[in-house]
Amino acid sequence: MDELCLFSGSGGGLLGTMLLGWRPVGYVEKDSYCQRVIAARIADGILPVAPIFSDIRLFLNSGYARAYQGLVDVVTAGWPCQPHSLAGDRRGSEDDRDMWPETAETIRIVRPQWFLGENVPGILSTDDGRYWGGVLRDLAGMGYIATWGVFSAASTGLPHLRRRMFIVAHAQPQRREVILRDNSKHIVQTNCARTRQAPNSLDAIFDIIARIEKVLGEPSIFGSPDGVAYRVERLGSAGNGQIPDVVRNAWQSLRWRLHGQAE
């Protein structure tokens, strides 16, 4: 499938969708470091040649989104998680960094058959579930049915948890006027309970690592800062990035849930 990738970051999610055989035909990413990473991966042949757009607002306001109408099978978006992270104020739609309205507007204009979204699990309970209910209402109002779930890096054999929420939505031409009932808050709370994973030994391990790093003052993941170019940028892009195998697993699982067949 041809993919328009919003909030591309440094390409972790793109590597995941390429495992599925998708072809990115546009990258939207405002961070200059991540833009340079994508450009470098295009230059070395890992990512296909396609335009790199900056801010999603400019992408919309300049008419670039409309130029993709009818040319894209799937829109992907890991829109900013800061408004929903348990480590922040969790202001949801009141946070200036919330980019769901721009994501929804892109979907409305481009009209892909599929949408694959990613965020932190905390998004399901932001504003007591009302934020997530709004996301579902927006998709339903555009004629999409959706399902979602929480997936962990540990499920792919990696030595850390890194839980992320993924949503898959599919356009339903015969259901353009679908209206989600007002019980969306109950639906969200039920889904949260079903997908919540019990703590395991990895939680204890990473709690210990976090305490050690707090004492040492340096995150162990990238070692010493001496001689490491763009260390802060690398750390930020890694923290915001998606894990390719998790992206692939989430798509296959959620697509099967929608239509009873794996990609």
Side-chain angles (χ1 to χ4, degrees), residues 152-155 157-163 198-209:
S152 170
S155 66
L158 294 173
H160 57 294
L161 293 177
R162 198 177 178 84
R163 297 186 181 100
N200 57 33
S201 59
L202 288 175
D203 288 293
I205 293 172
F206 280 91
D207 180 61
I208 293 172
I209 293 175

Side-chain angles (χ1 to χ4, degrees), residues 14-48:
L14 286 161
L15 295 179
T17 59
M18 289 180 69
L19 289 174
L20 295 164
W22 300 2
R23 181 183 69 161
V25 294
Y27 312 96
V28 182
E29 173 55 54
K30 74 173 186 177
D31 183 84
S32 60
Y33 172 76
C34 290
Q35 289 175 5
R36 294 196 297 274
V37 172
I38 294 172
R41 297 294 77 77
I42 292 174
D44 59 28
I46 293 177
L47 293 177

Side-chain angles (χ1 to χ4, degrees), residues 20-102:
L20 295 164
W22 300 2
R23 181 183 69 161
V25 294
Y27 312 96
V28 182
E29 173 55 54
K30 74 173 186 177
D31 183 84
S32 60
Y33 172 76
C34 290
Q35 289 175 5
R36 294 196 297 274
V37 172
I38 294 172
R41 297 294 77 77
I42 292 174
D44 59 28
I46 293 177
L47 293 177
V49 176
I52 303 174
F53 302 95
S54 57
D55 189 86
I56 190 172
R57 296 188 180 102
L58 181 62
F59 179 71
L60 289 165
N61 295 336
S62 299
Y64 292 121
R66 194 164 299 278
Y68 276 92
Q69 196 172 66
L71 301 177
V72 173
D73 300 301
V74 56
V75 166
T76 59
W79 69 100
C81 66
Q82 289 85 353
H84 316 289
S85 173
L86 298 178
D89 295 332
R90 311 197 69 212
R91 298 176 60 217
S93 58
E94 296 181 0
D95 194 312
D96 292 339
R97 296 168 294 183
D98 177 42
M99 290 291 135
W100 171 249
E102 288 76 11

Side-chain angles (χ1 to χ4, degrees), residues 130-147:
R130 286 187 289 271
Y131 179 95
W132 189 243
V135 170
L136 299 179
R137 280 192 294 273
D138 289 343
L139 289 169
M142 292 185 286
Y144 289 82
I145 59 171
T147 188

Side-chain angles (χ1 to χ4, degrees), residues 132-195:
W132 189 243
V135 170
L136 299 179
R137 280 192 294 273
D138 289 343
L139 289 169
M142 292 185 286
Y144 289 82
I145 59 171
T147 188
W148 63 96
V150 177
F151 296 82
S152 170
S155 66
T156 67
L158 294 173
H160 57 294
L161 293 177
R162 198 177 178 84
R163 297 186 181 100
R164 291 293 184 269
M165 186 285 308
F166 285 85
I167 178 172
V168 167
H170 186 230
Q172 302 293 292
Q174 72 275 23
R175 298 184 61 189
R176 297 297 183 186
E177 302 301 324
V178 171
I179 299 176
L180 194 66
R181 293 193 299 272
D182 289 335
N183 64 350
S184 60
K185 179 178 178 181
H186 171 72
I187 294 172
V188 170
Q189 290 174 337
T190 302
N191 197 64
C192 284
R194 186 170 61 250
T195 59

